Amino acid sequence: MMEQLERFDNNFLFDHAGHLTDSGLHALQDGLLDDLGGLEAAEHLTFCDFCLARYTALIEAAPERLQQPMRDLIPQVQNLMRLRSFRVMTNRYVSTAAAVVLAFALWRFGFFGGVPAPDREQTAGQPTGPRTTISQSISGALDRFTNGIGDALYGLKTTVSSGLDQLSDPGKILNNTLNNGGETADGE
C-alpha cells in the first residue's frame, strides 16, 4: 500500500531574508506543496535569480530518470491536433455541401424560377416576353408548393374517409366479401 506523503507547511517555505528555504525547494521538487504553496514558490522563482539558480542546481543534481519527462507527449498532442483540424475541415465542407445541395434543390423545384430555354426562331433584336421578378418567382413557387401540399392532403383525406366508411358499415365489408366469391381481401 502506498504511503500518502505529508504536505509541506507553507509557513516554512521562505526564510527571514525572503528566499526559499532548502526544505521548501525540496518540497517543490518532490511535489509536496499544496496549490497555494506551489503558486507562491513559482512566482518567487520568476523574479529571484538566487533561488532560481539554487533550484536549477537541485534539479541538475537529481538522477537522470527524474530529469526526463515520464512519457513522451508529442504523439498524443499531434494526434489531437490532427483530429481537431479534421473536425474543422469536415465542418467547413459539410456546411458548404449542404448549402450547395439546398440551392440545387430549391432551383430544381422552381423556387428561383425556371430559366427559359432560348427560342431558336427568335432573333437577338426581338424583345423577349415580360421578365418576372424574384418576388414573383418566389410567390409562384410557394403557390405551387401549397397547391401540391393541398392536393396531397385532399387525397389523404379521401383515402382515410373511404376507409372509415368501410369500417363503420359492416354490411359493405360483408357484401364485398360475398361479391369476391367468399374470399376476403387477404385471400383467406
Side-chain angles (χ1 to χ4, degrees):
M1 193 163 148
M2 185 177 199
E3 292 181 27
Q4 184 172 349
L5 299 174
E6 188 176 322
R7 290 288 178 187
F8 185 78
D9 187 7
N10 290 343
N11 293 330
F12 300 112
L13 189 59
F14 296 101
D15 60 10
H16 294 292
H19 295 291
L20 288 168
T21 60
D22 289 335
S23 58
L25 285 173
H26 287 287
L28 178 63
Q29 182 186 17
D30 295 337
L32 298 176
L33 295 175
D34 61 358
D35 292 339
L36 180 61
L39 288 173
E40 287 178 352
E43 181 183 2
H44 182 77
L45 289 174
T46 60
F47 66 83
C48 182
D49 293 333
F50 177 71
C51 291
L52 183 61
R54 288 176 44 221
Y55 186 61
T56 305
L58 182 66
I59 291 175
E60 287 176 355
E64 184 66 28
R65 64 180 175 82
L66 295 177
Q67 293 179 13
Q68 299 298 323
M70 292 175 56
R71 60 187 170 110
D72 189 17
L73 296 177
I74 292 173
Q76 181 182 358
V77 171
Q78 286 177 338
N79 288 337
L80 184 62
M81 289 172 58
R82 274 190 221 106
L83 179 65
R84 286 188 180 167
S85 66
F86 176 74
R87 285 181 184 165
V88 166
M89 296 304 287
T90 303
N91 289 340
R92 185 176 298 157
Y93 287 124
V94 165
S95 61
T96 303
V100 167
V101 167
L102 182 63
F104 278 126
L106 292 175
W107 181 44
R108 168 68 178 96
F109 293 113
F111 280 98
F112 296 126
V115 178
D119 191 8
R120 295 178 192 248
E121 297 175 6
Q122 189 177 16
T123 60
Q126 293 178 343
T128 60
R131 292 189 159 197
T132 58
T133 63
I134 292 176
S135 63
Q136 290 171 338
S137 298
I138 291 174
S139 175
L142 288 176
D143 287 342
R144 289 189 299 272
F145 179 73
T146 54
N147 289 340
I149 293 285
D151 292 343
L153 290 176
Y154 179 75
L156 180 65
K157 177 186 168 198
T158 306
T159 304
V160 169
S161 295
S162 83
L164 288 175
D165 287 345
Q166 288 179 0
L167 288 176
S168 66
D169 190 9
K172 285 185 181 178
I173 297 174
L174 182 61
N175 287 337
N176 287 341
T177 304
L178 294 175
N179 291 339
N180 290 333
E183 293 182 9
T184 61
D186 294 337
E188 294 176 358

